[in-house]
Amino acid sequence: MSINPYRRELQVARNLVTLRWANIAIIFGFCVAFIYGFKMSFKLEPIYGICCILALFNIYLTLHISMLGRQLSVTKGLNTLKRMMLRVLSQFFGSFKTKGLIKGLAGIPAVLAKVASVIYLMILETMKDFTFNPVSLDNIMQFQILFDLVAILCLTRYTGSTESPMFLMSVIPISVAGSIIGAKAGIAYSVFACMGWLINSMLIKFGVFEHVKFYSPMYGDLHTCDSWIWSYFMVAVLSFGASALISYKLTQAFKEKVDDLDKSLNISKSSSISMKHIALMHNDPWMVIDKKGKILNLKCDGNQI
């Protein structure tokens, strides 16, 4: 049985949220290790703030993707959700008679959560038919990638900019964009990320932004070196663009393999059903062979083997 493509995309979105939780922990852990273990010069407070924002964004994405999954069970649109809202409210007010005033009031937080969920589902259902739906799964996936790149640029800004290795983490959302959205989108996001890094580096070089040191000042400053900035920029554009293209090609190859396997399973299932019907309809002996002459199924003396 083939999987609904929308359900498959929902599963991919859930996996991205899980990956982001791991990235948040890795980023904060590495920054703590760099500062207290390797005595680097940047401050931990901005990193902590950015990680908190990422965590809050991830909580919202977790809830939103869960609501998109529940939306699949809404068969009759807003009418189903209105009946659900009335049932939740009637059960709540009925609990005062059955459970008493104290227990009824204790159920307010649960009722508020259910009401908020139904209202959010109503918003999703209302915006489903809009020409541009900002809360659709496709747009949310693109917003995730854009938000991750901006967060990485901010982390790079507060960990040394031209000196920071943090910018290399951009390869993760860019590869995801190439594999899920397409090669052109992945290359566009790679150009966006690299241009953001270049603009930040130039603003620091010309003194518009204050430079945050990654390592000790005794080792010199890379933010004043034009050749380093431009060479890093060109290597990053080519590397990230190649990563997006390779991710796209690999994903297409995997999709072809999955489609071939799905077709083979469907053919096998259809063949099995056909053989069963043949066995029920015919009492005479019969035999099924493939193109190479291999016996696939055989019936003789009223018994199917």
Side-chain angles (χ1 to χ4, degrees):
M1 184 178 178
S2 61
I3 302 174
N4 188 335
Y6 188 78
R7 291 185 182 275
R8 188 181 297 169
E9 291 176 3
L10 276 176
Q11 187 59 44
V12 171
R14 293 190 186 98
N15 292 336
L16 288 179
V17 170
T18 304
L19 178 64
R20 190 175 293 103
W21 282 122
N23 285 338
I24 292 171
I26 291 171
I27 288 169
F28 189 73
F30 271 116
C31 289
V32 171
F34 287 152
I35 292 173
Y36 296 103
F38 299 100
K39 307 300 180 182
M40 295 301 175
S41 300
F42 62 90
K43 302 296 182 182
L44 185 62
E45 289 79 6
I47 311 302
Y48 177 75
I50 295 171
C51 289
C52 289
I53 294 172
L54 281 171
L56 292 174
F57 178 65
N58 225 29
I59 291 171
Y60 166 72
L61 286 177
T62 303
L63 296 174
H64 181 73
I65 294 170
S66 176
M67 289 293 112
L68 289 175
R70 293 185 182 184
Q71 189 184 11
L72 294 175
S73 61
V74 179
T75 56
K76 296 183 180 180
L78 292 175
N79 292 329
T80 302
L81 296 173
K82 289 176 182 178
R83 288 196 297 269
M84 188 183 299
M85 178 73 78
L86 291 174
R87 185 168 64 251
V88 169
L89 294 176
S90 63
Q91 289 176 353
F92 170 66
F93 290 114
S95 65
F96 287 100
K97 294 182 179 179
T98 58
K99 298 180 181 179
L101 180 62
I102 302 300
K103 291 185 178 180
L105 292 175
I108 289 178
V111 172
L112 290 177
K114 291 179 181 178
V115 169
S117 299
V118 175
I119 292 174
Y120 199 82
L121 284 172
M122 287 180 173
I123 295 173
L124 293 178
E125 195 66 22
T126 302
M127 300 186 71
K128 184 172 64 175
D129 298 326
F130 283 14
T131 304
F132 174 73
N133 182 3
V135 294
S136 67
L137 183 59
D138 291 338
N139 289 328
I140 284 294
M141 295 274 280
Q142 298 220 31
F143 183 67
Q144 282 188 68
I145 295 166
L146 186 62
F147 188 88
D148 288 343
L149 290 175
V150 172
I152 291 171
L153 285 172
C154 292
L155 288 169
T156 304
R157 164 75 180 89
Y158 289 106
T159 56
S161 299
T162 53
E163 303 166 357
S164 174
M166 195 69 70
F167 184 63
L168 297 177
M169 292 192 68
S170 300
V171 72
I172 299 175
I174 288 171
S175 298
V176 170
S179 61
I180 295 176
I181 305 173
K184 292 182 179 179
I187 293 172
Y189 280 120
S190 66
V191 172
F192 167 80
C194 293
M195 286 300 299
W197 182 89
L198 179 64
I199 291 170
N200 176 62
S201 300
M202 287 299 178
L203 290 175
I204 291 173
K205 176 179 170 22
F206 292 110
V208 179
F209 289 165
E210 181 184 358
H211 178 52
V212 178
K213 289 292 296 178
F214 179 73
Y215 46 78
S216 174
M218 64 181 293
Y219 297 111
D221 288 322
L222 282 174
H223 75 280
T224 59
C225 181
D226 288 331
S227 58
W228 168 258
I229 293 173
W230 284 106
S231 60
Y232 192 104
F233 169 76
M234 288 185 288
V235 170
V237 170
L238 292 175
S239 301
F240 293 163
S243 299
L245 184 60
I246 292 171
S247 299
Y248 172 75
K249 294 293 185 182
L250 288 175
T251 303
Q252 292 301 112
F254 287 140
K255 282 183 179 180
E256 290 178 3
K257 293 291 184 183
V258 170
D259 291 339
D260 291 341
L261 180 60
D262 196 21
K263 289 178 182 178
S264 299
L265 290 174
N266 289 332
I267 292 172
S268 177
K269 183 179 178 181
S270 301
S271 177
S272 176
I273 294 172
S274 300
M275 291 178 185
K276 184 177 179 180
H277 283 295
I278 292 172
L280 293 174
M281 293 172 62
H282 297 279
N283 294 323
D284 299 329
W286 53 266
M287 180 174 61
V288 178
I289 61 174
D290 60 9
K291 295 180 180 180
K292 297 180 180 180
K294 181 180 179 181
I295 298 175
L296 300 177
N297 210 336
L298 177 68
K299 178 182 177 183
C300 57
D301 297 331
N303 295 319
Q304 181 183 358
I305 300 176

